[in-house]
């Protein structure tokens, strides 16, 4: 798979619903989503040489809950380990609305 600033694919709302509902059905007690602010995302993307963002699944033992770890990726596909790394995203629930079609 070629790495580029275009990695990823835009999908329809219906596809997104299928994917999120399938996950939620199989993982009843897991968080449904995480929010990260635009400004903090830009801090990763604006790092020199940053091609995109890799999102790792994580688990915070202190809080006893899953989380996500975001890190910049360079053109060689390597994590930018000396750059900005994010965690402490806003989990859903409780930080979300139940009116979303993805819930």
């Amino acid at each position: 798979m070629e790495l580029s600033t275009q990695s990823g694919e835009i999908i329809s709302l219906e596809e997104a619903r299928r994917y999120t509902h399938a996950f939620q059905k199989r993982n009843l007690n897991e968080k449904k989503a995480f929010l990260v602010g635009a400004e903090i995302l830009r801090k990763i993307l604006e790092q020199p040489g940053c091609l995109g963002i890799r999102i790792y699944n994580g688990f915070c033992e202190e809080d006893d809950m899953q989380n996500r770890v975001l890190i910049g990726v360079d053109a060689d596909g390597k994590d930018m380990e000396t750059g900005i790394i994010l965690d402490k995203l806003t989990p859903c629930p409780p930080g979300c609305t139940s009116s979303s079609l993805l819930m």
Side-chain angles (χ1 to χ4, degrees):
M1 176 182 287
E2 182 180 330
L3 300 177
S4 79
T5 58
Q6 296 295 314
S7 291
E9 184 177 327
I10 296 172
I11 63 171
S12 69
L13 176 59
E14 186 53 40
E15 285 175 289
R17 283 186 73 213
R18 282 198 317 269
Y19 298 157
T20 59
H21 290 192
F23 174 85
Q24 292 164 19
K25 182 178 177 182
R26 288 171 178 77
N27 301 279
L28 298 175
N29 297 319
E30 300 296 332
K31 296 296 179 190
K32 293 174 176 40
F34 292 87
L35 171 73
V36 60
E39 290 300 317
I40 199 88
L41 275 177
R42 275 193 273 282
K43 288 182 181 190
I44 291 181
L45 293 170
E46 290 173 350
Q47 296 175 104
C50 185
L51 182 75
I53 296 174
R54 182 166 287 128
I55 304 169
Y56 283 94
N57 295 319
F59 189 85
C60 179
E61 292 178 334
E62 294 83 18
D63 296 334
D64 193 36
M65 69 178 226
Q66 64 173 295
N67 61 357
R68 301 295 177 265
V69 176
L70 285 67
I71 189 168
V73 176
D74 67 19
D76 294 325
K78 295 180 181 174
D79 290 345
M80 298 175 71
E81 296 170 346
T82 59
I84 295 170
I85 303 173
L86 298 181
D87 178 28
K88 306 294 184 210
L89 310 181
T90 303
C92 168
C96 55
T97 174
S98 60
S99 64
S100 171
L101 294 176
L102 301 183
M103 297 289 280

